Amino acid sequence: MMPRVTVQAEDFDVSAELQALRAQDLRVGAVCSFVGTVRDTQALTGMALDEVQAMELEHYPGMTEKSIEAMIDEAHKRFDFYAARVVHRVGRLLPADQIVLVAVTSAHRGESFKACEFLMDYLKTQAPFWKKEQTPQGAQWVDARVSDDTALARWGIAGTNA
């Protein structure tokens, strides 16, 4: 049986992950997925942008996976879907590298879309990852954004990060 959550340094193959998630489950009528990638810019104060040369992601092994498993359990309480898969990378990543995959299967697209969006909003604010961006001005830790907490609030969950 495929794990629901994997945290790894290596890149992932989206097609292979989706194929494995669907594997022989003839009930599946919908697969929704989201892939997050490293941008080459970051928003500074106001409208200015700064170049991102690399991003480093850190986590607490064991605790991070457990936290994401709990997110999937919460999603199952809210939405009617069959399976979910979350792959999140750690370590040094460059612009255009894949960071995260969230994929969900269900009978119909609506539940897959909602569950996938819920999991991504939850991941963005509640998963214990720490991001540091390397720019020409030096390295800086990335703070949680108010917009991420606002996205999570749509689901009736108060964010505590921003």
Side-chain angles (χ1 to χ4, degrees):
M1 178 183 230
M2 180 169 90
R4 298 190 308 176
V5 177
T6 303
V7 177
Q8 63 189 37
E10 305 81 29
D11 198 8
F12 51 86
D13 179 333
V14 175
S15 181
E17 291 291 343
L18 297 181
Q19 184 176 358
L21 184 64
R22 293 180 43 205
Q24 306 303 313
D25 189 345
L26 301 179
R27 303 171 302 162
V28 173
V31 179
C32 182
S33 64
F34 172 85
V35 176
T37 60
V38 178
R39 291 183 299 271
D40 68 349
T41 57
Q42 67 165 341
L44 295 174
T45 322
M47 299 299 286
L49 295 176
D50 197 10
E51 176 187 0
V52 174
Q53 298 169 326
M55 177 183 287
E56 294 178 43
L57 286 101
E58 297 180 9
H59 78 299
Y60 282 125
M63 182 175 115
T64 302
E65 292 86 349
K66 185 176 178 180
S67 172
I68 298 170
E69 286 283 352
M71 291 174 197
I72 295 172
D73 291 342
E74 180 62 27
H76 268 294
K77 293 176 187 174
R78 294 166 178 255
F79 309 105
D80 184 18
F81 67 95
Y82 300 133
R85 175 83 169 123
V86 175
V87 180
H88 205 298
R89 294 183 64 198
V90 292
R92 184 176 169 82
L93 302 174
L94 301 175
D97 283 351
Q98 299 181 127
I99 302 172
V100 63
L101 166 68
V102 175
V104 178
T105 63
S106 66
H108 304 284
R109 70 180 180 269
E111 292 298 294
S112 284
F113 277 122
K114 288 186 280 188
C116 189
E117 189 171 19
F118 171 82
L119 286 169
M120 196 57 229
D121 287 346
Y122 211 56
L123 257 172
K124 191 82 171 148
T125 59
Q126 303 300 306
F129 289 101
W130 294 269
K131 300 176 186 176
K132 187 188 317 181
E133 290 178 335
Q134 186 67 43
T135 70
Q137 289 70 38
Q140 62 184 32
W141 291 101
V142 177
D143 291 328
R145 295 181 175 101
V146 172
S147 61
D148 294 331
D149 282 343
T150 301
L152 189 62
R154 293 181 310 144
W155 307 107
I157 300 170
T160 58
N161 295 308

